[in-house]
Every structure is written in structure tokens, then in C-alpha cells.
Amino acid sequence: MIALSLIGIGTGNPDHLTRAAEGAMRAADLILLPRKRAETAELLDLRAAICAAVVGETARTATFDMPGRDPTLPYLDGVDAWHDAIAAAWRGAIARHLPDGGRVALLVWGDPSLYDSSLRIAARLRAGAMPVTVEVVPGITSLQALAAAHAIPLTGLGTPLLVTTGRRLAAEGWPAGTEMVAVMLDSGCAFERLDTACTSIWWGAYLGMAQESLLAGPLAATAPAIRDERTLLRARHGWIMDCYLLRRDAARAAASDR
Amino acid sequence: MIALSLIGIGTGNPDHLTRAAEGAMRAADLILLPRKRAETAELLDLRAAICAAVVGETARTATFDMPGRDPTLPYLDGVDAWHDAIAAAWRGAIARHLPDGGRVALLVWGDPSLYDSSLRIAARLRAGAMPVTVEVVPGITSLQALAAAHAIPLTGLGTPLLVTTGRRLAAEGWPAGTEMVAVMLDSGCAFERLDTACTSIWWGAYLGMAQESLLAGPLAATAPAIRDERTLLRARHGWIMDCYLLRRDAARAAASDR
């Protein structure tokens, strides 16, 4: 029997860890750490450092090679095959290190509920021959770290927030019916495709880490600065994780159209 | 000089606290606890218990009477006047207990960025004569606790999530352009106004607490059970905090309309 804990660890700052996350890490017989080809060693090291800080030298960790996604397949087919391959990698590592079962923990950036596929991959384990229970420990998401760093709310008085991806925003433009849009997983600069009128942006990268970078202001004036900063930081660190909040004053935008 | 920390404390389970939240509570010269007329003693006691658990007997706490919102005013006017009154209550308590300035902490359910007005109220302090700096410490929201308790994701593969209120959902129906809707602040049962076709619901109350209650399933079959459970639990505990996630399979709903 395998008890799998998917533990949200926040955005790389050990201070983001909750008591529940620390408890689940300490209770684990094995903490599985992915080694990604496309990722610099820094992120693996960061996860290992969090293990060491929380559990200490007794932490039993094992790394596994994270499969890559086949970019030649159509997007959803590619993701499906990729998740199958990750499930197989988890299964192999667990069988190797815990042949008699036990508690396995996986550390998830942010929160397992938001743009993370660990739950979908875990479902593949459960669908296989391996008896698995799944527990989720919530963690601070990059959007929360962004809002905290800028000291801004993500919602107005009773108004909605749309959380979406850079891909969607670029393809579909400003979503109907909302003045606040939080954007994750934007490997480009989808905000550049938007009409900038009456729109503001709050952007952050490496949130909560020593490298944290923040920019905010009217979209028209701030977008070029964010593009430049992203290019510079990605070159400097070899990787970047960022997100942003957009707010459009719909009433003012409509008035200026008249 | 006043250094104000708005600390997200999760949904009432001390295990939701982050290391940063614990650190900010310990560093505070004063933790302000609101005493609300409409609230049972249980929630004030819960905040006090969290202070005692984290800081211990050295915790310097002070309660202040939370003003009520004038229900005779139009909604936004009423909220505006209410926030003015809360800011005055904070100012009074701070002047009384920390006449020479210092570090003040306020404990916020969930996260200060999501449907919480502490930042807007803090802005009123800054606009007054009192020199104030504001720091935000993110916390686990009820939506994250909901997703964790049901072990479900809040987003699909690259698909958006709309976070909204019961009031909005009841007034506007299903929002355009999204298959996933998370609903907070629903004092009624706004989900009952929706077309139930191809729609599922995941509901939770007192998330992370001993009283936690969860229900999930197809909306048509589950809505009456949630209504009954809310009535029963509110009568039993004297208060309720709940939220839910709705998912609509838009492709299937469109196909069944043909």
C-alpha cells in the first residue's frame, strides 16, 4: 500500500511552508524529487534544500528523471502521453525505493490544485495495479505571493477574478465579464497582445526568493519594461517563473470608446 | 510609526499557518482581535487559540469591537462607511495600546488578497495622519482547503478558473467562457439558480476544522443535500463558513441542447 502526499510548498521560500506541509514531509518514508532536463540544477537544489531545512539529515529522498513532453504531438495528446510517462517514472522509483509500500511525498511548487498535474498523474497510479491513497496539502501559490509582494487584493468588492494562462490570454484576448485577470504559465508576453486602455499590470518573478523582481503600473508604460526584465533575468538565472495580475477599469474603458 | 502585518491564517486549522505567518505573529508587539456582534464567541476564541498555540502566553493581544454594516444604505455606500468605521476602530485600539508605535498584526481568515477588505481598510489608516507601513503574509484560502479536502484540481489542462461570489452567480448565472467556477461568500444557495445539466459541484464547510463537512456530485442530485446540510450545520454551530467549486462540461451541455 502506498500513501501518496502531494505537498504544496509555495514558491521556493521555506517560509511559505505550512505546518501541515512540514508535518507531511517529516512523516514521509520517501520524498521523490524530479530531475528535469530543461531545468537548471537550481530548482532541484532548491527542493533538496527545503527537505534538508525541514526534515534534516534523516530525510530519505530519491531523484527520478523527469520525462520530457513530445513537442511533435498535438498539445493535449502530448500532455496525455507525458503524464503517462511521469506516472511510470513515479511507479518505478516507488517500487525501487519502497518495495513494501509506505508514505511517499512529492513537493509541488505552489498548490497542487492550481495549474499542476500531480493529481491527474496520481490518478494514473490508482488506475494501475498499485494500491494508492492520495492526500493533498495546500500551499501558497505564486498569485498569492504576487499579491502579498505588491500588497494588493486580487478581487474588488464582490467582483470576480479570472485565473487563466498566457496561452489563453494571447488566443482569446480580454475575457468577458471580469475586471481582474491573473495570468500564469506565460512563457511569452501575452499581455502585449491586449488593448492597453485603462489597464494596469502587477508583475512578479521568483516570488518570495532572493531574486524576486517586481514591476507594476499602467500596462502601456510597463509592458516594455517587463519584456526587458524577463529577458535579462532569464539570461542571468537560466530559468524564470513569473505571473501577473491585470486590472481593467471597464466603465472608464467604455466611456473612452464613446 | 506603525508597521502593520496583515497575516493570512488559513481557515481555522493551526496547521494551515505558514512559517512566515508564525514569524509575523511572534514579531508583533500587538495582535488585534476583532469582537463581532453577529459572530459567535467561537471564532474569536479560535483566533485567540491560534495566538496561544503560536506565540504562547507572551502574546500581547487586544480585542476591539467590530462595527456593524448599516444595512439601510445602498450596498457599496454601506461597505464604504463600514470600512471607515473599522479603520477608526483600528486607529483607536492602536493608539490606546501602542501610543509610541510598533508592530501590529491582524489575523485574516484565508488570504488577505481574496475577498478580504483589510488592505482597503489599511489604506484608510495610511491616508490619515498615522504613519503606517503595510506587509502582507499570504495564507491558505478556503478554496485551496476545499480542493485539498476533495483531492481535486481547481483548473483543467490550461483552462481558466473564475472565482466569484454567491451574489454574482445568483444575479448573472453561469459566467461566459469558463468551465470551472469557484464560489465564495454565498449566504444563500446561489447554485440552485443554475441550469443543472452537465454540471457537478464540490462543496465544503468548516474546511480544515473538526466540524468539516464535504459533499460532492452531480449538481441536480447534490444541491438539495447541500441546502439541508447548511441549514442543519448553521443551526448546530450558530455560524457557517463554506464555499464550493462548480464544473460544467460545456461541450456535453452544448451537444445535449441540440
Side-chain angles (χ1 to χ4, degrees), chain A residues 7 9 12 14 17 21-22 25-26 28 30-34 43-63 105-107 109, chain B residues 19:
Chain A
I7 305 175
I9 56 168
L17 288 172
E22 294 190 46
M25 286 174 68
R26 288 202 192 96
L30 179 69
I31 302 177
L32 277 184
L33 303 174
L43 286 177
L44 175 60
D45 290 350
L46 197 50
R47 288 194 194 87
I50 288 174
C51 289
V54 170
V55 190
E57 289 186 7
T58 61
R60 195 172 159 204
T61 62
T63 57
L106 276 143
L107 310 185
W109 297 120
Chain B
R19 289 179 165 207

Side-chain angles (χ1 to χ4, degrees), chain B:
Chain B
M1 190 70 190
I2 296 292
L4 182 65
S5 285
L6 305 176
I7 306 176
I9 57 168
T11 70
N13 183 336
D15 284 350
H16 288 175
L17 289 172
T18 65
R19 289 179 165 207
E22 295 191 45
M25 286 173 69
R26 288 203 193 94
D29 300 310
L30 179 69
I31 303 178
L32 276 183
L33 302 174
R35 185 165 44 214
K36 298 183 191 179
R37 229 168 309 168
E39 199 174 65
T40 65
E42 199 174 352
L43 287 177
L44 175 60
D45 291 350
L46 196 51
R47 287 195 195 87
I50 288 174
C51 290
V54 170
V55 190
E57 289 184 6
T58 59
R60 193 171 161 205
T61 63
T63 57
F64 66 96
D65 285 319
M66 187 75 165
R69 181 162 62 84
D70 183 347
T72 65
L73 290 175
Y75 178 68
L76 286 181
D77 292 346
V79 168
D80 207 47
W82 185 41
H83 289 174
D84 285 343
I86 299 172
W90 288 6
R91 205 179 282 120
I94 292 169
R96 207 156 44 243
H97 295 280
L98 283 184
D100 301 323
R103 293 169 174 272
V104 179
L106 276 143
L107 310 186
V108 174
W109 297 119
D111 184 297
S113 73
L114 203 63
Y115 295 124
D116 180 80
S117 289
S118 304
L119 275 163
R120 281 180 282 269
I121 297 164
R124 285 164 162 81
L125 292 192
R126 297 167 88 171
M130 187 179 275
V132 180
T133 62
V134 176
E135 170 206 43
V136 176
V137 180
I140 300 300
T141 66
S142 58
L143 295 180
Q144 293 168 286
L146 177 77
H150 286 286
I152 51 161
L154 294 169
T155 51
L157 278 175
T159 63
L161 167 72
L162 188 82
V163 184
T164 191
T165 65
R167 181 189 289 257
R168 284 257 166 177
L169 189 70
E172 298 172 8
W174 193 273
T178 181
E179 297 193 359
M180 306 280 262
V181 180
V183 183
M184 298 178 72
L185 307 180
D186 184 1
S187 57
C189 287
F191 50 82
E192 291 181 338
R193 312 274 191 100
L194 299 173
D195 177 5
T196 58
C198 305
T199 304
S200 299
I201 187 166
W202 290 262
W203 173 86
Y206 315 97
L207 287 153
M209 301 186 194
Q211 311 95 309
E212 181 174 282
S213 174
L214 303 172
L215 286 168
L219 181 57
T222 314
I226 296 174
R227 166 171 284 277
D228 292 348
E229 183 78 351
R230 293 181 96 234
T231 307
L232 188 148
L233 292 172
R234 185 181 275 146
R236 182 183 299 161
H237 301 298
W239 61 281
I240 190 165
M241 288 203 290
D242 65 346
C243 62
Y244 50 94
L245 177 73
L246 295 161
R247 190 181 67 199
R248 175 166 289 181
D249 185 332
R252 271 179 54 216
S256 71
D257 280 351
R258 270 178 222 139

Side-chain angles (χ1 to χ4, degrees), chain A residues 157-197:
Chain A
L157 277 176
T159 63
L161 167 73
L162 187 82
V163 184
T164 192
T165 65
R167 180 190 289 258
R168 284 256 166 178
L169 189 70
E172 299 172 8
W174 192 272
T178 182
E179 297 192 357
M180 306 279 261
V181 180
V183 184
M184 299 178 72
L185 307 180
D186 185 0
S187 57
C189 288
F191 50 82
E192 291 181 339
R193 312 274 191 100
L194 299 173
D195 177 5
T196 57

